[in-house]
Amino acid sequence: MAAKTIDAGQLKNIFLAGAQRLEANKEWINELNVFPVPDGDTGTNMTLTIMSAVGEVQALANPDMESLAKAISSGSLRGARGNSGVILSQLLRGFTKEIKKVHVLNATVIANAFQRASETAYKAVMKPKEGTILTVAKGMADKASELAAETEDLEKFFAAILAHGDYVLSQTPEMLPVLKEAGVVDSGGQGLMQVMKGCMDAFLGKEVDLSSMQAPAPRPVASASDVSTEDFDIKFGYCTEFMIHIDDRYTTEKELGFKAYLESIGDSIVVVSDDEIVKVHVHTNDPGLAIQKALTFGPLSRMKIDNMREEHQEKLIKEASKKAAAEAAVKAETKKADEPRKEAGFVAVSVGEGMGEIFRGLGVDTLIEGGQTMNPSTEDILNAVRTVNADVVYILPNNKNIILAAEQAMHLSDDKRVVVVPSKTVPQGITAAISFMPGMSPEENLEIMIEEMSHVKTGQVTYAVRSTSLDGVEVHEGDIMGIDDHSILAVGRTVSDTSFELLEKLIDEESELLSIYYGSEVTETEAQALCDRAQEAFPNLEIEMHNGGQPIYYYVMSVE
């Protein structure tokens, strides 16, 4: 007999199955991202968003529709990360608003909920773009409305909706040329389809393994990383790695004998043969013995020896420093709460100690560690806002993929006014903070900040995580890329030359100031050499160099 309704208990399992399928396919979805940068990708952001709701849903033993709807909506809204995650949370919010007052779902209720989900998500985005997750959601909503008048059989209903969703997804490259050039469909739309297909599996009664669906537990007072590891026994102290270039034929007998020898002097052994190269990894107390034995097979290269006991001690020191800093921060916040509220305060998203120092020097009250590689959630931003003892709190997202989450936090804040400054890069955020004028209204300050940010051109230098073609530029995995806010401007094999080429693209006759923030993988000497080269090429330009300390990005540059 055809199923015509779904109750709250069934919907709970259906939702969890959808989340499980998204989590299982997140890396595949990440690979669909058009820009080949090492960032916090679509699949990861959508998974972290829905997993935030999973925790609240799993806590419901015997839910009714209203309590289940609240858990899904609240959990996803607060856990939303990145644009794709925020849009997913808005889809879930709209869907649950429509179903919370009913006892069971039928085709008509579900169709109405699909429509409300789509409408809610479109309203949350200031400039909706077709060819994205929004288009896929709207396509399924329209199909659901059409089918609700034709059938009550939910299996046929869902099957037709999913088939149409797949079709709309397949058409996204025709709507966004950048997708067509990269040869991919929209990653957010694919993420949504994975959720829907997981839901369908559960509806059909397929066995779905939910054992791995454990939402992150609340952080305990003393987590594993906080517990002292002073008594941890490191039996073999040196992590030793090298490559052997084989002179003679490397027989199986020789390989077994070599492995046996390494086992006699250490552990964590990996020996991999590849044509005329043997890659070796071993933990030992005497790296010299491993090296001497390896030299009997041929010359060595790429030798690397790390003192794990020393690293362990450094970790202990860092943990102690972090704990002391956390305790000091708690004391500072307690003291701050007792002080009179000030007129205005700032929250900024930043990564890298140098970047953090710059923001603190500009009067930013609270920093959220994050950015391109770690998109903070709506809840992270909301918690940061709560620490600022001010009537008005300005949020500097400093990344275009964080602005929607910041705006969501703004709407959830209930005890102070929150203003989201739409800074898409760290240099824009720095300019906004400098432009703040005490005594002016939030509306006036926001207008001033946006105007000043419009004069900032940002460039970033990083590496490509995959090969692709974008804006007519061929990029190969491992290439160094110089990018601006919209496209790839330079591609090369060296950081210094690619960085200079990017500068040449960013600087024009009206440019007056160049600020260069060098990352954790660049030395001060290397950064100074780039500044000197730029000064020679552009003698009338004022150049400032800062140690940003940011990971992933060799340089962040701003031209004004």
Side-chain angles (χ1 to χ4, degrees), residues 240-246 250-252 254-256 258-260 262-263 268-282 294 297 299-302:
T240 306
E241 299 177 11
F242 51 80
M243 294 173 61
I244 311 172
H245 299 262
I246 302 298
Y250 187 64
T251 64
T252 302
K254 284 183 179 180
E255 181 174 0
L256 292 175
F258 183 41
K259 286 182 179 179
L262 293 177
E263 288 172 355
S268 298
I269 296 159
V270 179
V271 178
V272 180
S273 304
D274 181 14
D275 295 330
E276 297 178 350
I277 299 292
V278 178
K279 300 175 183 179
V280 179
H281 172 279
V282 60
F297 300 112
L300 310 184
S301 67
R302 298 194 183 182

Side-chain angles (χ1 to χ4, degrees), residues 160-451:
I161 291 172
L162 263 63
H164 189 68
D166 276 336
Y167 169 73
V168 175
L169 178 64
S170 73
Q171 296 303 299
T172 55
E174 303 303 320
M175 304 176 208
L176 282 178
V178 68
L179 295 176
K180 191 168 188 176
E181 185 179 9
V184 296
V185 296
D186 179 67
S187 54
Q190 184 65 269
L192 178 60
M193 290 310 303
Q194 292 308 306
V195 173
M196 294 300 299
K197 288 175 181 179
C199 291
M200 183 65 169
D201 286 344
F203 173 76
L204 294 175
K206 293 183 181 178
E207 191 91 19
V208 179
D209 181 12
L210 299 177
S211 60
S212 62
M213 294 299 293
Q214 295 298 318
R219 185 178 176 85
V221 175
S223 70
S225 61
D226 295 327
V227 176
S228 173
T229 53
E230 290 178 8
D231 296 330
F232 182 73
D233 180 29
I234 298 178
K235 186 177 180 181
F236 297 104
Y238 295 93
C239 176
T240 306
E241 299 177 11
F242 51 80
M243 294 173 61
I244 311 172
H245 299 262
I246 302 298
D247 286 337
D248 301 319
R249 185 167 175 267
Y250 187 64
T251 64
T252 302
E253 184 180 355
K254 284 183 179 180
E255 181 174 0
L256 292 175
F258 183 41
K259 286 182 179 179
Y261 177 77
L262 293 177
E263 288 172 355
S264 72
I265 62 169
D267 64 7
S268 298
I269 296 159
V270 179
V271 178
V272 180
S273 304
D274 181 14
D275 295 330
E276 297 178 350
I277 299 292
V278 178
K279 300 175 183 179
V280 179
H281 172 279
V282 60
H283 291 177
T284 178
N285 284 329
D286 195 337
L289 293 176
I291 290 169
Q292 287 173 24
K293 184 68 174 178
L295 283 168
T296 64
F297 300 112
L300 310 184
S301 67
R302 298 194 183 182
M303 299 173 65
K304 181 172 175 284
I305 301 172
D306 294 323
N307 186 332
M308 294 190 294
R309 292 191 180 97
E310 188 176 89
E311 290 177 350
H312 178 62
Q313 284 301 117
E314 290 177 358
K315 182 181 178 183
L316 289 177
I317 293 170
K318 286 181 180 178
E319 287 176 354
S321 298
K322 284 173 67 177
K323 186 176 180 181
E327 290 174 351
V330 171
K331 290 179 181 177
E333 292 303 331
T334 303
K335 181 181 177 182
K336 192 186 297 182
D338 294 333
E339 295 174 353
R341 239 187 191 190
K342 58 183 181 178
E343 179 187 339
F346 279 84
V347 168
V349 180
S350 177
V351 65
E353 185 56 38
M355 293 294 194
E357 285 299 324
I358 291 169
F359 277 116
R360 281 189 282 266
L362 293 173
V364 169
D365 299 87
T366 302
L367 290 172
I368 304 172
E369 187 174 355
Q372 188 71 2
T373 55
M374 300 176 290
N375 295 157
S377 68
T378 296
E379 183 75 4
D380 292 333
I381 299 171
L382 196 58
N383 287 337
V385 168
R386 289 171 180 148
T387 68
V388 181
N389 190 22
D391 293 324
V392 181
V393 179
Y394 295 86
I395 301 175
L396 302 172
N398 300 332
N399 187 289
K400 63 183 179 182
N401 208 33
I402 300 174
I403 293 174
L404 278 181
E407 291 175 343
Q408 198 147 276
M410 174 182 69
H411 294 304
L412 292 173
S413 179
D414 54 10
D415 67 333
K416 59 191 69 170
R417 182 169 182 185
V418 176
V419 177
V420 176
V421 182
S423 53
K424 296 180 180 179
T425 64
V426 166
Q428 284 188 356
I430 290 172
T431 296
I434 292 172
S435 305
F436 173 74
M437 300 293 290
M440 287 192 171
S441 70
E443 292 81 9
E444 291 170 323
N445 263 310
L446 181 60
E447 185 178 346
I448 291 170
M449 292 178 190
I450 292 174
E451 171 62 25

Side-chain angles (χ1 to χ4, degrees), residues 35-36 460-464 466-483 487-503 505:
F35 240 53
Q460 300 178 95
V461 181
T462 186
Y463 57 91
R466 61 183 173 276
S467 300
T468 188
S469 174
L470 194 62
D471 298 328
V473 178
E474 289 290 332
V475 181
H476 300 97
E477 183 178 344
D479 281 350
I480 306 300
M481 301 183 300
I483 59 180
S487 58
I488 300 173
L489 298 183
V491 177
R493 299 304 299 175
T494 68
V495 173
S496 58
D497 288 343
T498 307
S499 300
F500 185 72
E501 185 182 345
L502 174 62
L503 283 176
K505 299 285 180 62

